[in-house]
Amino acid sequence: MKALDLQYRDAQKSATPRQGRGRGESYTPPADELVRISSLDDLIAGIRVVTPEQQARLQPDSRLWCVGDIALLHRKCVAVVGTREVSPEGAARSRRLARELAAAGVVVVSGLAKGVDTEALRGAVEAGGRVVAVIGTPIDRAYPAENKHLQERIYREHLLISQFAPGERVFPTNFPERNKLMAALSDATAIIEAGDTSGTLHQAAECGRLGRWLFIAKSVVDNPLLQWPKRFLGQPKVVSFTSTEDILKAIGAKTEEWH
C-alpha cells in the first residue's frame, strides 16, 4: 500500500526538531515521556469493556504509544468528532459541547484533525478541561502542521495516544483505525457534523460493535441531504441529541455542575 502524502513538510520530519520554511519552529516531539502499552485492555481494564476478539481487531499489533496523563482514561470520556470541512455553525457547536463537557468534569477525546476535532479540543482546553488526543500518525509527527503547538500542549498537559510506532510510515488506513480506537477509549461518541462519506462513520459503526453510546447532532439527523444517520438511528444506544445534558445523563455524569 502506498504511504500517505501528508502534504505538510512538518509531518514528514524526523523526531529531531528543525526550523520549518516560513512556518516558524517545527513540531517538538516528546523526549523521554513516551510509554508503550502492551494492550488496549491494559489501558482501560476495569473502566470500559473490550472483548479479546474486539481487541484483536482494534489493535492487531498489540501496541499503543502514550504520552501524558493516562489516568484521564479512568474518568468519563466523550469523543467529539466530525468533518474536517466544518461549517461555522458546526465549529460553534463543537466548541460549546466541549466547553460544557469540560465544565461537567468529562474528558473530551478527539483526533486532532482540522475541523470538528480541533474546535472541540481547543474549546475544552480553553475552558480549563482535560483532553485526550488520538492521532493517526506516530507521536513524533504532527498532522496537520498547524496543530503542532496544540499537539505539544496536549502531550505535556493532557494525554496523546497513537497506535503507530515512532518512525513508521503513514498510510490512509491509519485514520479509520484511529477513529475505531477512539470509540473504544470513550464512553460515548458525539458526531457534530459529517457527510455521507466521512471517515467519522467508521467510529459510528465501531460504537455499535462495542456497545458504546453514539450521539448524532439533531442538525445532522434533520439534514435532508444526508443518508447516513438513517443507518444508525433505531439501533441500541444511538440517540439524536440536542443538548449536552442528553449525553451527560446517558453516561452517568453529573449535570448540575455546569448549569
Side-chain angles (χ1 to χ4, degrees):
M1 182 182 295
K2 184 179 179 182
L4 179 65
D5 179 4
L6 292 181
Q7 300 180 343
Y8 293 100
R9 179 178 295 272
D10 286 345
Q12 297 284 13
K13 292 179 179 179
S14 68
T16 303
R18 291 178 292 177
Q19 192 78 9
R21 294 182 181 177
R23 297 182 185 273
E25 293 183 358
S26 65
Y27 170 64
T28 302
D32 302 324
E33 304 91 346
L34 190 62
V35 175
R36 176 173 172 170
I37 305 295
S38 59
S39 74
L40 178 58
D41 191 54
D42 289 341
L43 197 59
I44 59 173
I47 309 162
R48 295 170 193 91
V49 176
V50 177
T51 68
E53 294 78 13
Q54 290 168 334
Q55 177 162 310
R57 178 171 47 78
L58 287 166
Q59 196 195 358
D61 293 330
S62 297
R63 59 185 178 183
L64 290 169
W65 304 88
C66 305
V67 186
D69 186 1
I70 293 174
L72 290 177
L73 293 172
H74 291 240
R75 295 166 54 175
K76 296 293 185 182
C77 294
V78 172
V80 180
V81 296
T83 181
R84 289 174 169 82
E85 304 302 325
V86 65
S87 68
E89 295 79 13
R93 292 188 189 104
S94 303
R95 292 191 298 271
R96 178 178 177 180
L97 175 59
R99 288 195 303 267
E100 293 182 348
L101 289 170
V106 174
V107 175
V108 172
V109 180
S110 203
L112 257 179
K114 71 176 184 177
V116 169
D117 290 17
T118 298
E119 297 292 345
L121 290 171
R122 288 193 187 280
V125 169
E126 290 169 1
R130 306 304 302 278
V131 304
V132 175
V134 185
I135 58 176
T137 63
I139 278 175
D140 59 1
R141 301 182 186 183
Y143 174 73
E146 58 261 33
N147 277 351
K148 58 193 173 185
H149 296 310
L150 178 59
Q151 184 165 317
E152 290 169 3
R153 182 173 182 181
I154 288 171
Y155 77 65
R156 288 171 180 151
E157 302 175 10
H158 303 270
L159 178 62
L160 182 68
I161 299 176
S162 175
Q163 295 151 282
F164 311 103
E168 280 191 359
R169 298 172 71 189
V170 178
F171 296 93
T173 54
N174 286 23
F175 299 94
E177 294 305 311
R178 177 271 317 271
N179 282 94
K180 294 175 185 177
L181 177 61
M182 276 197 285
L185 294 174
S186 306
D187 297 290
T189 289
I191 298 179
I192 302 300
E193 197 171 271
D196 284 324
T197 60
S198 173
T200 303
L201 304 190
H202 291 284
Q203 187 158 341
E206 196 63 39
C207 286
R209 297 186 190 103
L210 293 165
R212 302 288 197 266
W213 286 98
L214 173 63
F215 292 88
I216 307 172
K218 191 173 186 299
S219 57
V220 174
V221 172
D222 291 345
N223 186 337
L225 300 178
L226 295 177
Q227 298 303 311
W228 73 262
K230 299 180 180 66
R231 305 204 320 256
F232 295 95
L233 291 171
Q235 296 181 16
K237 291 190 172 182
V238 178
V239 178
S240 170
F241 80 101
T242 57
S243 72
T244 305
E245 190 168 1
D246 296 337
I247 300 173
L248 296 176
K249 286 182 177 179
I251 66 172
K254 295 180 179 179
T255 60
E256 63 270 14
E257 297 180 13
W258 59 275
H259 281 297

